[in-house]
Amino acid sequence: MAKTATKSSKQPAAKAAKPGAKPAVKAAARPAATAAKPAAKVSAKKPAAKGKAKSAKKPALTLSMLKPSVNNMSVRVFARAAGLDHFETDVWGHTRSPEYMARNPAHLTPMIEDKGLPRGVLWESCAIMQYLANKHGLEKLYPQAPAKRAMIDSAMFYLIGTLYPYVARATYPALNFPQYAGEVGHSDAHPDRKSEAQKAAAAAIAEPLEVFHSFFRNGKPFIGGNNPSIADIRLAATLEFLAVIDYALPHWTKDYMVAIEKKLGKAYAEPAADVRGYIAYVKSQAGA
């Protein structure tokens, strides 16, 4: 597995922002990390001739990310699982900077910088995973057969279009993330109305979860069959957020998440630890 270099920025402890919405904290477009940062991995280099150190070659792929976000977690897991040599940089507080917005006017994360992209950068977690899987021929994570690929795409689009909005409405208030413009949670509605909307969203999660179980998995260990696909990575990461509201996950989802982490090992566990660490921090503050 390729090594991942990580560059982190100093981050505030309790505030974060979500994708696509005007952030509550200036300069953030995605949730900020509060969990402990893993130490960057450094490759040992042999000294060059005549005592001069040979400079390390920077990976071609750069990933701008924010650690507590499950959207960001998806790409971080994927890059590790795919064994891609990449460099992670924590962009907390910089997504609204002129430099960042000159490259990414949507000021979103995750974002990759990769040679060959028409504009040099790409954001949106599913698009990033699709692009990199196509570029590197990662058949195991994103099958090329049209019918199999269609099911992977359908599962991802169903997730981001149906399941994730419910998850966001149900969990963002507890995570201290601002909700999307137009949502009751973002409005000046009475707190009781906001609470009702949050509970209704949580109740609605059960239906799409059952669709993933009965239709997309259909008796298989994963959406991708016997091995996790990019749709599985995206689904498992999304389910991580539900811990913040102590959501009673169906038994199959618990087994499913354990199976994915077992299959992917550290590729899943390391990014998941950042999300889980943030959730634990938020819950500890709520109980203080």
Side-chain angles (χ1 to χ4, degrees):
M1 184 177 293
K3 291 187 177 180
T4 303
T6 305
K7 179 180 179 182
S8 296
S9 300
K10 193 172 183 180
Q11 303 169 8
K15 293 189 179 180
K18 70 169 189 305
K22 184 176 285 186
V25 179
K26 186 177 180 182
R30 297 272 187 178
T34 56
K37 305 177 183 64
K41 294 181 180 179
V42 181
S43 300
K45 297 290 181 180
K46 293 182 179 179
K50 299 182 180 179
K52 291 184 179 180
K54 185 179 179 181
S55 59
K57 184 179 179 181
K58 185 177 179 180
L61 178 66
T62 298
L63 169 60
S64 296
M65 55 82 195
L66 296 169
K67 293 180 179 179
S69 165
V70 295
N71 302 314
N72 287 257
M73 175 184 159
S74 299
V75 177
R76 297 179 71 204
V77 170
F78 167 82
R80 287 165 170 77
L84 300 180
D85 188 21
H86 67 290
F87 177 80
E88 288 185 351
T89 179
D90 190 331
V91 292
W92 170 258
H94 298 289
T95 56
R96 293 272 184 173
S97 68
E99 179 189 14
Y100 194 88
M101 292 191 69
R103 293 174 295 155
N104 180 345
H107 53 80
L108 296 177
T109 61
M111 178 186 78
I112 61 166
E113 299 170 63
D114 195 36
K115 293 179 180 179
L117 286 168
R119 302 300 300 272
V121 303
L122 182 67
W123 60 87
E124 295 296 344
S125 61
C126 293
I128 290 171
M129 292 190 292
Q130 289 170 313
Y131 164 72
L132 292 174
N134 286 331
K135 178 177 179 178
H136 298 285
L138 302 173
E139 169 76 17
K140 192 173 181 179
L141 289 166
Y142 193 38
Q144 294 183 4
K148 290 183 179 179
R149 176 165 288 197
M151 293 301 286
I152 301 299
D153 290 341
S154 179
M156 289 196 300
F157 298 157
Y158 182 63
L159 187 151
I160 61 177
T162 300
L163 175 60
Y164 192 77
Y166 290 152
V167 171
R169 291 168 193 156
T171 63
Y172 277 24
L175 289 163
N176 298 319
F177 297 167
Q179 293 204 295
Y180 294 92
E183 297 279 1
V184 173
H186 183 72
S187 71
D188 295 327
H190 190 277
D192 289 347
R193 290 284 308 280
K194 294 182 180 181
S195 178
E196 289 171 7
Q198 184 180 2
K199 291 176 181 177
I205 289 170
E207 182 177 301
L209 283 185
E210 178 55 30
V211 172
F212 278 103
H213 177 51
S214 62
F215 182 80
F216 289 113
R217 288 180 69 230
N218 189 29
K220 303 184 298 294
F222 306 105
I223 297 169
N226 292 324
N227 294 291
S229 68
I230 58 176
D232 291 291
I233 291 172
R234 190 66 185 86
L235 176 58
T238 297
L239 295 177
E240 294 282 349
F241 263 174
L242 293 175
V244 78
I245 58 171
D246 296 319
Y247 183 84
L249 285 167
H251 186 71
W252 74 266
T253 59
K254 298 176 184 178
D255 293 340
Y256 172 76
M257 293 172 75
V258 168
I260 287 180
E261 186 162 354
K262 185 176 180 179
K263 274 278 188 180
L264 300 182
K266 289 183 179 180
Y268 186 91
E270 290 177 352
D274 290 318
V275 172
R276 294 167 185 170
Y278 179 73
I279 290 173
Y281 166 79
V282 168
K283 293 179 77 172
S284 70
Q285 294 300 296

